[in-house]
Amino acid sequence: MHTTAAPLALLWHRTDLRLSDHPALRAAAQASSGRVLGVMVLPEITRASPRRVGYLLQTIEELRAAWRAQGSALIVLRGKAHERIPALAVELGVREVHTAPCPAFDEQLENAAVQQALAAHSIALVVHDEVTLIATPDLPFAIDALPDVFSNFRRAVEREGAWGALVREPLEPCALACLPVSLVTELDARTEATLAAEDLGAARSAAQQHDPRSAFHCQGGRSHALARIRHWFWDTDSIARYKQTRDGLQGADFSSRLSPWLALGAVSPREVAKEIHRYERERTANESTYWLGFELLWRDYFHFWVRRHGRRAFAAAGVRGRTPCGAQDAALFDQWCRGRTGEPFVDAAMRELAATGQLSNRARQNVASWLTRTAGIDWRWGAAWFEQQLIDFDVGPNWGNWQYVAGVGNDPRNRVFNVKSQAERYDPDGAYQALWLG
Ligand SMILES: Cc1cc2nc3c(=O)[nH]c(=O)nc-3n(C[C@H](O)[C@H](O)[C@H](O)COP(=O)(O)OP(=O)(O)OC[C@H]3O[C@@H](n4cnc5c(N)ncnc54)[C@H](O)[C@@H]3O)c2cc1C
């Protein structure tokens, strides 16, 4: 299939599933007079649970609608990116493919493979930075010199105690050119065929199931992210109490719950930052509103961390080359996964995770500490289980937090959680444990 007008450009989506605040899309549009198509490649074999895949599919559906509204299309293919993207680019006569990958080790390898395959056809892969709160060029240090400890990172990027000092305004959505209807229809039909696969249907059903014990059912897609911001910021003013509630275990509003949308890029951290600043101007600025920005800085830190450390982010000895507890006791690990360790707080949390794909930060810290420090199991097993189960899985925050808790990361404090006293403190009446163990 060839078109006669100016060459098309492709935007290869990964964890940037939106059209707003999108530097790679802007660059693709500039290179092609707005003649851009979106493309995604789903792997045949995935490490994600059906629920997490289903959540991704919900996000993709909204993204497809956004592309259609621009007179273009999102093409969803299946297989290996280094085979499917070049084949599509050649077929469409594309000269440039733009992308903004999450820069973890596997994604860097994937990039290199796609770049090489495209180069064989004289097609360029233009790689942009992913959108973090602070853009990489604005960092006061090179990524290779990322401070080892978060508090040093924070001090370097904050100015006079303001987390948002280096945060740029989000980019406005850019206008795209309407592509010929016949082309859009044909490409859309291919996407329909991809999405009709049986396993993806099962994943869609898994994501629709809602465990009535959970107070929050997260649905994929930008409209749901924006609705959540409206609810949590503006309708309930929950953001103004966040510092006091953020260690909660149960309920819908103790924390923002924005992580699943941020992880897939349905909303960008800069868009959330803009909303925090607006809230501070129009309602109130207090330690809670500060704290949400502070947590977004943690997210940034782990995104830069995973880029800096490459393979070491996934190595048993961690980024410092320490000797971890590395027991590979499959039976005990299985008990942990199923919430059958006999430790009630741990079991309640692990059952919540299995039933919903969600877990509060406090519970994550406790179950991770128990697995690695009390049971002495290889921390990478726990990180891999979280990667499979969590609908908000995000490579840097997940593997980075696991290294911290397991004591192989950069945390100078080397804390071990006493799960029993944590349960007494954060679940004093045992309601959370009763809910998930009952
Ligand atoms: C072992 C372990 C594994 C984790 N795995 C992930 C993961 O795969 N994906 C993920 O997004 N977060 C992960 N976290 C961090 C944190 O638990 C979640 O971001 C948070 O619970 C999400 O809920 P929320 O959106 O309501 O967060 P809020 O408390 O409302 O925070 C706002 C946002 O800040 C960011 N954030 C908050 N805490 C952290 C943190 N400790 N590290 C990095 N970013 C943070 C998230 O983007 C979050 O959405 C993990 C933490 C631990 C201890």
Side-chain angles (χ1 to χ4, degrees):
M1 185 194 310
H2 286 283
T3 50
T4 49
L8 294 160
L10 282 179
L11 177 70
W12 174 22
H13 279 292
R14 280 126 114 198
T15 50
D16 54 334
L17 304 188
R18 65 178 179 277
L19 299 187
S20 62
D21 194 22
H22 205 310
L25 175 59
R26 178 159 293 208
Q30 276 164 0
S32 63
S33 310
R35 292 169 47 79
V36 192
L37 284 156
V39 60
M40 282 192 77
V41 185
L42 304 179
E44 294 285 0
I45 297 170
T46 171
R47 293 195 282 250
S49 68
R51 182 188 295 109
R52 176 148 87 82
V53 174
Y55 172 74
L56 168 68
L57 294 173
Q58 291 173 344
T59 312
I60 289 174
E61 274 313 324
E62 285 212 0
L63 185 64
R64 281 182 76 196
W67 276 101
R68 272 194 230 111
Q70 292 275 349
S72 183
L74 171 67
I75 309 143
V76 182
L77 302 169
R78 203 124 188 235
K80 295 190 171 74
H82 68 273
E83 293 170 0
R84 304 309 308 266
I85 302 253
L88 181 71
V90 169
E91 178 192 341
L92 296 171
V94 159
R95 301 232 182 97
E96 288 184 4
V97 178
H98 293 255
T99 193
C102 162
F105 189 69
D106 283 355
E107 287 76 10
Q108 286 176 9
L109 291 183
E110 191 179 46
N111 263 12
V114 172
Q115 191 153 27
Q116 199 179 10
L118 284 171
H121 302 281
S122 305
I123 302 169
L125 178 69
V126 189
V127 182
H128 303 262
D129 269 343
E130 64 171 329
V131 172
T132 37
L133 195 58
I134 301 171
T136 316
D138 297 342
L139 287 174
F141 39 75
I143 293 282
D144 283 351
L146 177 75
D148 280 343
V149 179
F150 170 75
S151 46
N152 293 342
F153 165 80
R154 182 179 60 78
R155 271 192 286 274
V157 297
E158 278 189 348
R159 293 282 181 275
E160 293 163 9
W163 59 269
L166 297 181
V167 181
R168 295 185 192 189
E169 279 286 300
L171 296 175
E172 291 300 321
C174 53
L176 301 180
C178 278
L179 299 179
V181 175
S182 56
L183 175 69
V184 170
T185 311
E186 202 269 321
L187 295 173
D188 220 31
R190 283 194 218 177
T191 298
E192 286 298 332
T194 304
L195 296 178
E198 202 175 313
D199 61 328
L200 299 185
R204 239 175 249 112
S205 312
Q208 274 156 12
Q209 277 155 29
H210 172 57
D211 191 306
R213 290 170 295 180
S214 172
F216 186 72
H217 183 214
C218 184
Q219 286 185 280
R222 182 172 172 82
S223 70
H224 297 284
L226 300 181
R228 175 66 188 168
I229 290 174
R230 256 194 319 278
H231 168 84
W232 197 73
F233 282 60
W234 301 100
D235 298 345
T236 61
D237 288 303
S238 302
I239 182 177
R241 298 182 290 276
Y242 171 64
K243 181 86 192 304
Q244 290 75 47
T245 59
R246 54 186 278 276
D247 279 319
L249 300 167
Q250 242 179 303
D253 291 338
F254 61 84
S255 65
S256 75
R257 304 279 197 163
L258 287 173
S259 55
W261 294 292
L262 283 166
L264 289 183
V267 66
S268 82
R270 296 196 298 212
E271 291 174 320
V272 178
K274 186 174 177 181
E275 207 65 11
I276 299 174
H277 285 138
R278 185 161 83 86
Y279 185 88
E280 289 182 330
R281 276 195 316 274
E282 295 181 15
R283 298 256 169 108
T284 184
N286 61 18
E287 57 175 6
S288 287
T289 57
Y290 165 82
W291 212 266
L292 191 65
F294 173 91
E295 293 297 349
L296 291 174
L297 281 184
W298 264 109
R299 178 179 184 276
D300 260 29
Y301 180 70
F302 282 125
H303 277 239
F304 298 131
W305 176 91
V306 80
R307 190 186 319 178
R308 175 182 170 196
H309 291 292
R311 221 179 214 150
R312 278 175 305 175
F314 309 94
V319 295
R320 288 262 180 98
R322 292 184 181 141
T323 309
C325 299
Q328 304 212 328
D329 182 335
L332 187 51
F333 176 67
D334 183 58
Q335 286 167 8
W336 178 80
C337 294
R338 291 186 299 112
R340 305 262 170 217
T341 65
E343 184 63 64
F345 192 36
V346 172
D347 289 348
M350 293 309 292
R351 289 186 205 183
E352 181 188 3
L353 176 62
T356 67
Q358 303 177 88
L359 203 57
S360 65
N361 185 56
R362 179 58 45 187
R364 289 182 208 208
Q365 289 176 319
N366 273 280
V367 297
S369 181
W370 188 90
L371 183 78
T372 56
R373 304 305 192 95
T374 306
I377 303 265
D378 190 329
W379 69 271
R380 295 169 304 168
W381 288 18
W385 179 251
F386 268 33
E387 172 165 347
Q388 185 187 84
Q389 295 294 315
L390 281 173
I391 60 166
D392 72 3
F393 168 70
D394 195 343
V395 58
N398 186 58
W399 289 79
N401 272 294
W402 271 94
Q403 286 212 3
Y404 259 65
V405 178
V408 298
N410 292 328
D411 189 350
R413 289 165 298 178
N414 204 19
R415 275 174 307 171
V416 179
F417 285 77
N418 179 332
V419 169
K420 287 198 194 308
S421 58
Q422 288 271 310
E424 279 163 21
R425 182 163 170 201
Y426 295 102
D427 187 29
D429 56 3
Y432 174 73
Q433 291 162 87
L435 181 68
W436 293 102
L437 299 177

